[in-house]
């Protein structure tokens, strides 16, 4: 139905029931056309951008018909003082399903009674239709005055589009807006938009490679395309007569000289992909949502036509395309902004490392020059003759802290095919690459630019295989390649003594490394995860590291060391967090695996930055202490050259307890160790059956998460247990609440005394996001002696899991000596050292089956 036909239908509805009938008529039109638009989009008959325009057109018809009906028929007048305009995304004529309608009611002077009646009527009808409205009522001058104070208002008006009413009023506003385009105001607008972009990126993780990206607001998302449009629109978009030139279509960017034709095609393709993803996401969710969360990625991949042997493969392929598109958006907006600056003579913020001084003295490297404050090739033809100039470009940029000229980036992209086997094997090129890696002022930032330009993945194809590879878990926050570059960033920070408080041990020994050691560890940072998606990531990664390092010309001994680091990059973290490092035999075995203090230090540094690079909040002082304790014990064993020995019984050390409580039958205290983000719960009591289960029940009932435990029993049956607790956010339990600490102490004391036998854990409500992550369930029994067994379990983490496991141990009369709890996203990996009666082989019991049954148990889905 056309907007005229819709208006005529509304006119025909008369009487007291007219409002209800009007509402029903508009809802029918909305439902019918939305359904058809959705069907055409899903069937591939319309593109993403075309669908966004069709949705906007649907609401144009509804809003215009409603506005015309209100002003002509309900509240008629001989003088028209009100004009209806669309602004924001609706003004651009692009809308996703369930998006807001941004309306601006323009009037010539003081808002009349009739104006208010029309506005109120329209808004109430649209609200009754469950349409989200953003609206304002102003004169053109009021709009300009507000825009001068608030750049978001000014930005919305750049997309002003007349819907209905007096054209003169809208033209007046456009004319006033054109007068705002002075040089100083253009400069201020650009600075404000780029600052807002940076703030938005920071809020979304400051990376275009977060594994649950925001398709609209995230780095490399649709909003970044809009920022370029707004800047170009404000700089080039109008004249003082009020006739705006709208660089809205990508072809306009070519005409303005911001893109060449090839870049324009890439830009258009990226925008189309992002619009398709956004529209599918809104349809799947049934509401306006912009985050590609785990529970949506499988269905999105299917909607976008990605298939594979399993859902994981389809998701990986889909997200790989998404991240490559986000990278393309970053590259293209970078080029366009630099072009815009050079053409308009407006200064845009530049420099990859704004916190470092820029070196602008003459360039000694032949084939390079400084142009407009940016580094460029003397000519694109030089790159074809001498491809090593691509690496020289990045080396000079890293040494000088300069930005790269957009023409240089275009030349690099055009010559990526010249990074062939002979290029990758040339020793001269390898030396330049090592200078980039080891001598740059900010190597990680430079490597990110190389990665976005496609050079890093082309030169190191092993790294190229993980570019844009998603990690389908809730533990890692970034794609594999971006995670690896964060390792480089954090290692460089430690070298510059920026992390002394968090990593005093690593900072101390890393300062003594020579260039050879630094090169090996930096390469290990880049290559440690290249085996992901290819089988056993450590084994395959070590194999690929050998290939890469030999091609780079490293001595064979260094090749073996880098491969060893990649092969063992999980050993320290897994041993420190999942094993009893008070066990002398374990330390001796671990020391033999390390082989030398130097290798231990290299692996320790790699481990520290690997954990930090997983995501915000993953590293804490508790993990730091575990790693330091393992390092100290292992280095002592290496220096003493201790021979393998039998496990010696551990004596119970009661000296940490205050003297006045050591003879008490029961004693419980909780201490908040805020620097470690841990609360230590000490329990002194007498050993008995089901003690560990009762204590776990008490702790769980108060909402505390056990992340470790040391459980000691003396020969006389006296028990001194330490539990290490955190809250659900990964901070010390009860860190801001004395009442929670007191409640924990009281119920734990009752459990120690045997006064409470049954506890109700916090409600187990399953997260749809967590449920989307596949978790393999595993239980393993490792016999150490005829009275001691190590029990390893893996499964989906949930409230009450430790209690359920403890109750199984109690049923089998197992005494837990130590517990090591490691939670990575939705996955729990728990290790228990248990003792039992001599001669019992736990593998002959049904213990394993019972553990698997508990690990497979699920809670209810959140509604």
């Amino acid at each position: 139905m056309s907007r005229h036909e819709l208006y005529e239908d509304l006119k025909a509805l008369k009487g007291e029931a007219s409002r209800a009938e009007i509402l029903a008529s508009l809802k029918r039109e909305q439902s019918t056309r939305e359904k058809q638009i959705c069907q055409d989009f899903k069937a591939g008959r319309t593109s993403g951008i075309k669908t966004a325009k069709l949705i906007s057109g649907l609401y144009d018809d509804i809003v215009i018909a409603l506005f015309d009906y209100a002003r002509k028929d309900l509240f008629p007048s001989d003088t028209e003082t009100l004009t209806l305009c669309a602004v924001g995304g609706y003004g651009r004529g692009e809308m996703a399903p369930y998006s807001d309608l941004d309306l601006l009611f323009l009037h010539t002077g003081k808002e009349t009674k009739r104006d208010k009646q029309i506005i109120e009527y329209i808004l109430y009808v649209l609200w009754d239709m469950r349409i989200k409205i953003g609206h304002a009522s102003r004169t053109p001058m009021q709009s300009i005055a507000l825009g001068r104070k608030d750049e978001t208002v000014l930005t919305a008006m750049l997309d002003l589009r007349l819907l209905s009413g007096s054209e003169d009023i809208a033209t007046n506003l456009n004319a006033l807006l054109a007068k705002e385009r002075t040089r100083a105001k253009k400069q201020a607008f650009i600075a404000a938009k780029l600052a807002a972009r940076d703030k938005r990126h920071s809020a979304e993780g400051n990376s275009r490679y977060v594994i649950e990206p925001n398709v609209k607001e995230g780095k490399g998302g649709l909003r970044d395309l809009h920022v370029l449009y707004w800047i170009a629109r404000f700089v080039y978009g109008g004249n003082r007569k009020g006739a705006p030139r709208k660089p809205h279509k990508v072809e306009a960017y070519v005409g303005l000289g911001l893109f060449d034709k090839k870049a324009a095609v890439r830009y258009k393709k990226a925008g189309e992909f992002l619009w398709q993803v956004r529209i599918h996401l809104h349809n799947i969710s049934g509401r306006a949502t912009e985050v590609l969360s785990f529970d949506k990625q499988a269905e999105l991949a299917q909607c976008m036509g990605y298939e594979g042997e399993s859902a994981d493969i389809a998701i990986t392929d889909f997200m790989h395309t998404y991240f490559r598109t986000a990278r393309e958006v970053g590259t293209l907006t970078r080029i366009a902004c630099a072009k815009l600056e050079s053409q308009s003579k407006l200064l845009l913020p530049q420099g990859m490392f704004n916190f470092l001084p820029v070196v602008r003295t003459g360039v000694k490297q032949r084939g390079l020059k400084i142009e407009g404050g940016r580094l460029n090739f003397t000519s694109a033809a030089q790159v074809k003759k001498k491809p090593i100039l691509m690496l020289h470009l990045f080396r000079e940029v890293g040494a000088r802290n300069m930005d790269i000229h957009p023409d240089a980036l275009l030349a690099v992209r055009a010559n990526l095919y010249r990074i062939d086997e002979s290029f990758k094997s040339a020793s001269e090129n390898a030396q330049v690459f090592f200078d980039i890696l080891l001598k740059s002022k900010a190597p990680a930032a430079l490597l990110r630019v190389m990665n976005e330009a496609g050079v890093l993945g082309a030169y190191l194809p092993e790294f190229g295989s993980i570019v844009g590879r998603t990690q389908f878990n809730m533990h890692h926050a970034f794609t594999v390649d971006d995670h690896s570059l964060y390792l480089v960033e954090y290692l460089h920070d430690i070298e510059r003594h920026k992390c002394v408080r968090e990593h005093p041990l690593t900072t101390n020994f890393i300062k003594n490394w020579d260039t050879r050691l630094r090169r090996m560890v930096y390469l290990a940072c880049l290559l440690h995860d290249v085996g992901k998606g290819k089988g056993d990531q450590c084994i395959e990664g070590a194999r690929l590291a050998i290939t890469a390092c030999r091609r780079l010309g490293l001595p064979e001994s260094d090749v073996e060391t880098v491969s060893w680091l990649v092969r063992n990059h999980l050993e320290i973290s897994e041993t420190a967090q999942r094993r009893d490092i008070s066990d002398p035999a374990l330390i001796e075995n671990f020391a033999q695996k390390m082989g030398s203090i130097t290798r231990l230090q290299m692996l320790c540094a790699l481990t520290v930055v690997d954990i930090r690079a997983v995501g915000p909040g993953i590293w804490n002082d508790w993990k730091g202490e575990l790693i330091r304790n393992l390092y100290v014990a292992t280095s002592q064993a290496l220096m003493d050259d201790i021979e393998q020995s039998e496990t010696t019984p551990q004596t119970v050390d009661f000296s940490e307890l205050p003297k006045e409580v050591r003879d008490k039958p029961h004693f419980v205290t909780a201490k908040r160790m805020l620097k470690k983000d841990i609360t230590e719960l000490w329990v002194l009591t007498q050993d008995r059956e089901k003690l560990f289960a009762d204590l776990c029940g008490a702790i769980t009932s108060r909402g505390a998460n056990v992340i470790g435990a040391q459980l000691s029993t003396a020969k006389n049956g006296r028990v001194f247990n330490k539990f290490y607790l955190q809250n659900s956010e990964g901070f010390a339990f009860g860190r801001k609440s004395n009442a929670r600490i007191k409640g924990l102490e009281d119920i734990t004391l009752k459990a120690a005394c045997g006064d409470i036998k049954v506890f109700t854990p916090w409600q187990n409500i399953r997260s749809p996001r967590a449920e989307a992550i596949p978790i393999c369930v595993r239980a393993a029994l490792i016999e150490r002696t005829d009275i001691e067994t190590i029990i390893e379990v893996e499964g989906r983490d949930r409230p009450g899991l430790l209690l359920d496991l403890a109750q199984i141990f109690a049923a089998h009369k197992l005494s837990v000596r130590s517990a090591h709890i490691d939670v990575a996203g939705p996955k729990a990996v728990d290790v228990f050292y248990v003792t039992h009666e001599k001669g019992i082989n736990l593998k002959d019991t049904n213990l394993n089956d019972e553990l698997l049954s508990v690990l497979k148990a699920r809670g209810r889905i959140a509604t």
Side-chain angles (χ1 to χ4, degrees):
M1 186 181 297
S2 69
R3 67 186 59 169
H4 177 71
E5 291 171 331
L6 191 57
Y7 166 65
E8 291 298 326
D9 275 4
L10 299 185
K11 277 180 62 177
L13 298 173
K14 302 290 184 180
E16 294 182 359
S18 63
R19 191 178 183 284
E21 292 172 352
I22 286 171
L23 184 61
S25 177
L26 292 176
K27 282 185 174 181
R28 280 194 301 272
E29 180 70 10
Q30 178 190 25
S31 176
T32 301
R33 286 176 59 181
E34 278 184 345
K35 185 177 180 180
Q36 186 61 53
I37 291 170
C38 183
Q39 287 175 347
D40 289 344
F41 173 68
K42 288 181 177 179
R45 291 188 289 270
T46 54
S47 67
I49 293 174
K50 176 65 174 176
T51 300
K53 293 184 180 301
L54 288 171
I55 295 171
S56 177
L58 160 63
Y59 287 103
D60 280 356
D61 293 346
I62 290 175
V63 171
I64 291 172
L66 189 59
F67 179 74
D68 287 348
Y69 172 68
R71 70 189 179 94
K72 293 178 180 179
D73 299 280
L74 288 183
F75 311 104
S77 173
D78 295 334
T79 305
E80 187 55 72
T81 59
L82 193 64
T83 294
L84 177 61
C85 297
V87 292
Y90 180 38
R92 284 193 307 277
E94 297 174 343
M95 288 183 64
Y98 308 103
S99 291
D100 294 6
L101 289 182
D102 294 319
L103 302 176
L104 176 60
F105 296 93
L106 287 174
H107 51 86
T108 53
K110 185 177 180 181
E111 195 175 65
T112 66
K113 180 180 178 182
R114 173 180 175 265
D115 293 341
K116 293 179 181 179
Q117 288 175 321
I118 292 171
I119 293 170
E120 183 178 290
Y121 181 82
I122 291 170
L123 293 179
Y124 273 106
V125 172
L126 294 177
W127 285 332
D128 286 344
M129 293 177 68
R130 300 292 187 267
I131 299 172
K132 290 183 289 184
I133 305 294
H135 66 95
S137 174
R138 296 189 292 260
T139 67
M141 281 303 299
Q142 288 172 337
S143 298
I144 292 297
L146 190 58
R148 289 170 181 166
K149 298 177 182 178
D150 188 343
E151 58 88 15
T152 58
V153 174
L154 178 61
T155 301
M157 288 191 295
L158 293 177
D159 296 312
L160 183 77
R161 180 165 60 90
L162 174 66
L163 294 177
S164 185
S166 172
E167 186 176 348
D168 291 342
I169 301 177
T171 301
N172 183 23
L173 178 54
N174 272 325
L176 292 172
L177 192 60
K179 294 178 182 179
E180 295 296 302
R181 293 180 171 89
T182 64
R183 181 181 179 85
K185 289 181 179 179
K186 287 178 180 179
Q187 187 77 58
F189 181 79
I190 291 170
K193 294 316 297 181
L194 294 181
R197 179 198 63 181
D198 292 342
K199 184 178 180 180
R200 171 170 49 82
H201 287 171
S202 180
E204 295 296 330
N206 205 29
S207 170
R208 68 181 90 257
Y209 306 113
V210 292
I211 58 174
E212 290 185 292
N214 187 312
V215 69
K216 181 182 178 184
E217 304 290 349
K219 198 169 186 177
L222 278 167
R223 187 63 82 211
D224 282 2
L225 300 181
H226 296 156
V227 168
L228 175 59
Y229 159 69
W230 289 324
I231 291 175
R233 174 79 176 90
F234 194 72
V235 172
Y236 297 111
N239 56 51
R240 292 185 181 275
K241 294 181 180 180
R245 288 162 40 220
K246 293 188 177 181
H248 183 42
K249 293 184 177 180
V250 72
E251 290 79 10
Y253 293 140
V254 177
L256 294 170
L258 302 182
F259 286 148
D260 60 19
K261 290 183 179 180
K262 289 183 178 179
V265 170
R266 289 158 50 199
Y267 189 91
K268 194 170 185 177
K269 183 179 179 181
E272 171 61 25
F273 177 84
L274 292 173
W275 265 111
Q276 286 186 28
V277 172
R278 188 181 183 212
I279 292 170
H280 279 306
L281 180 60
H282 282 217
N283 284 331
I284 289 169
S285 305
R287 60 187 178 89
T289 183
E290 312 297 347
V291 177
L292 307 188
S293 56
F294 291 124
D295 54 317
K296 303 293 192 304
Q297 289 178 11
E299 192 171 353
L300 270 169
Q302 185 180 21
C303 289
M304 293 291 292
Y306 289 84
E307 298 178 350
E309 295 179 0
S310 67
D312 288 358
I313 294 174
I315 292 168
T316 299
D317 291 345
F318 162 59
M319 295 304 295
H320 187 254
T321 305
Y322 179 88
F323 291 122
R324 285 189 175 274
T325 301
R327 184 178 72 173
E328 189 81 306
V329 169
T331 301
L332 291 170
T333 53
R334 184 188 187 89
I335 290 171
C337 282
K339 286 277 192 180
L340 187 150
E341 176 185 350
S342 63
Q343 291 175 9
S344 63
K345 308 303 180 185
L346 296 170
L347 180 63
L348 274 68
Q350 59 174 291
M352 289 181 296
F353 332 112
N354 293 326
F355 54 88
L356 296 173
V358 178
V359 180
R360 298 188 185 278
T361 54
V363 181
K364 295 179 181 179
Q365 178 61 53
R366 294 183 63 182
L368 298 177
K369 65 179 179 179
I370 297 175
E371 182 178 337
R374 291 182 168 89
L375 203 61
N376 196 5
F377 300 114
T378 53
S379 74
Q382 287 281 353
V383 185
K384 296 180 181 179
K385 296 177 183 178
K386 198 175 181 182
I388 192 178
L389 279 174
M390 289 186 280
L391 291 180
H392 282 310
L393 173 75
F394 290 105
R395 179 173 66 177
E396 290 295 319
V397 164
R400 293 169 174 273
N401 178 37
M402 296 186 70
D403 208 353
I404 301 175
H405 196 280
D407 290 343
L409 289 174
L410 290 171
V412 165
R413 186 176 181 95
N415 287 278
L416 283 178
Y417 72 95
R418 297 183 184 277
I419 304 179
D420 54 17
E421 290 304 317
S422 61
F423 184 101
K424 289 180 282 190
S425 302
S427 58
E428 181 186 3
N429 296 349
Q431 187 54 55
V432 178
F433 176 72
F434 290 140
D435 286 347
I436 291 170
L437 190 61
L438 302 177
K439 296 181 181 180
S440 299
K441 295 179 182 295
L446 182 58
L447 289 171
R448 284 192 177 94
V449 177
M450 289 180 67
N451 192 30
E452 296 208 351
V455 174
L456 184 57
Y459 184 65
L460 269 184
E462 294 78 13
F463 185 89
S465 70
I466 59 171
V467 171
R469 174 170 285 277
T470 189
Q471 306 191 70
F472 196 54
N473 58 56
M474 294 175 67
H475 185 50
H476 287 83
F478 310 105
T479 56
V480 183
D481 57 324
D482 208 37
H483 162 73
S484 300
L485 296 179
Y486 272 113
L487 266 71
V488 173
E489 179 177 325
Y490 293 134
L491 183 62
H492 189 251
D493 285 347
I494 293 173
E495 280 193 308
R496 296 174 64 213
H497 288 206
K498 292 180 67 176
C499 307
V500 177
R501 193 202 71 78
E502 300 96 326
H503 311 297
L505 177 69
T506 311
T507 302
N508 185 55
F509 63 64
I510 206 173
K511 65 185 179 184
N512 299 316
W513 285 0
D514 58 18
T515 300
R516 177 171 164 262
L517 283 179
R518 292 182 65 237
R519 182 175 65 183
M520 287 189 287
V521 178
Y522 270 101
L523 281 173
C525 288
L526 280 178
L527 300 171
H528 79 290
D529 269 351
V530 295
K532 282 199 170 178
K534 303 176 180 68
D536 186 309
Q537 64 155 314
C538 293
I539 294 174
E540 292 302 316
R543 180 182 62 80
L544 291 168
I546 291 173
T547 303
C549 292
R550 284 176 177 167
R551 191 175 59 248
L552 290 168
L554 266 64
E556 197 60 30
S557 60
D558 291 3
V559 172
E560 194 277 330
T561 298
V562 175
S563 175
W564 180 87
L565 288 170
V566 174
R567 173 69 178 85
N568 294 284
H569 76 273
L570 299 176
E571 286 296 321
I572 286 181
S573 59
E574 290 187 351
T575 302
Q577 296 179 71
R578 301 176 186 176
R579 287 292 183 266
D580 184 358
I581 59 176
S582 68
D583 181 355
L586 179 140
I587 294 299
E588 290 160 15
N589 289 333
F590 192 77
Q592 288 182 355
K593 180 175 287 188
M594 296 298 102
S596 68
I597 292 288
T598 300
R599 280 199 168 187
L600 174 64
Q601 290 178 345
M602 295 169 75
L603 191 61
C604 185
L606 180 62
T607 301
V608 165
V609 294
D610 189 18
I611 295 174
R612 286 201 60 167
V614 166
I618 298 298
W619 176 269
N620 56 41
D621 283 350
W622 165 251
K623 291 177 181 175
E625 179 169 312
L626 292 176
I627 290 172
R628 282 192 293 272
N629 290 343
L630 177 59
Y631 173 87
V632 170
T634 305
S635 59
Q636 187 64 50
L638 287 166
M639 288 186 290
D640 293 346
D641 195 21
I642 300 175
E643 296 181 357
Q644 182 87 14
S645 65
E646 294 293 328
T647 302
T648 55
Q650 301 296 302
T651 58
V652 181
D653 183 10
F654 292 97
S655 63
E656 293 182 83
L657 290 162
K659 289 183 180 180
E660 62 272 17
V661 304
R662 292 177 193 172
D663 294 329
K664 286 187 175 182
H666 308 287
F667 174 73
V668 172
T669 186
K671 298 181 178 181
R672 286 168 286 201
M673 320 291 284
L674 297 183
K675 287 186 177 181
K676 300 179 187 177
D677 267 329
I678 288 292
T679 294
E680 290 188 4
L681 178 66
W682 291 10
V683 181
L684 176 67
T685 188
Q686 193 69 24
D687 195 21
R688 60 175 174 80
E689 285 189 8
K690 298 184 179 180
L691 174 63
F692 180 65
D694 286 347
L695 294 176
C696 287
I699 294 167
T700 302
S701 70
R702 287 296 176 263
N705 294 331
V706 180
I707 65 167
Q710 292 178 357
L711 315 167
S712 307
T713 305
K715 291 182 179 179
N716 62 358
R718 291 288 281 165
V719 171
F720 179 30
N721 292 348
K722 286 184 182 180
F723 292 90
Y724 304 99
L725 312 178
Q726 288 184 331
N727 60 22
S728 58
E729 286 81 37
F731 300 115
F733 175 79
R735 62 200 300 259
K736 296 181 179 180
S737 173
N738 291 331
R740 296 196 74 181
I741 290 292
K742 183 65 168 61
L744 175 68
E745 290 175 335
D746 290 346
I747 198 165
T748 304
L749 182 60
K750 290 181 179 180
C753 298
D755 291 348
I756 298 178
K757 299 296 182 182
V758 179
F759 300 93
T760 303
W762 280 24
Q763 271 195 323
N764 179 18
I765 300 178
R766 291 151 58 193
S767 160
R769 287 177 59 246
E771 286 292 312
I773 308 299
I775 302 293
C776 293
V777 172
R778 184 181 73 90
L781 309 178
I782 305 169
E783 187 176 323
R784 300 187 76 225
T785 68
D786 57 358
I787 63 168
E788 186 176 31
T789 298
I790 299 175
I791 299 176
E792 297 180 352
V793 297
E794 294 183 16
R796 192 175 299 277
D797 188 37
R798 58 177 173 82
L801 175 61
L802 183 60
L803 173 59
D804 290 345
L805 294 172
Q807 289 173 338
I808 291 178
F809 298 154
H812 285 263
K813 298 184 178 180
L814 304 178
S815 178
V816 181
R817 184 167 66 81
S818 68
H820 309 270
I821 315 300
D822 185 15
V823 177
K827 182 179 181 180
V829 183
D830 301 344
V831 179
F832 304 91
Y833 286 67
V834 303
T835 56
H836 45 80
E837 291 183 14
K838 188 174 182 179
I840 294 178
N841 188 342
L842 296 180
K843 293 181 180 179
D844 295 335
T845 70
N846 62 349
L847 174 61
N848 198 77
D849 292 338
E850 291 181 30
L851 292 172
L852 290 174
S853 177
V854 162
L855 293 168
K856 292 175 182 177
R858 313 288 278 277
R860 64 183 179 86
I861 285 282
T863 56

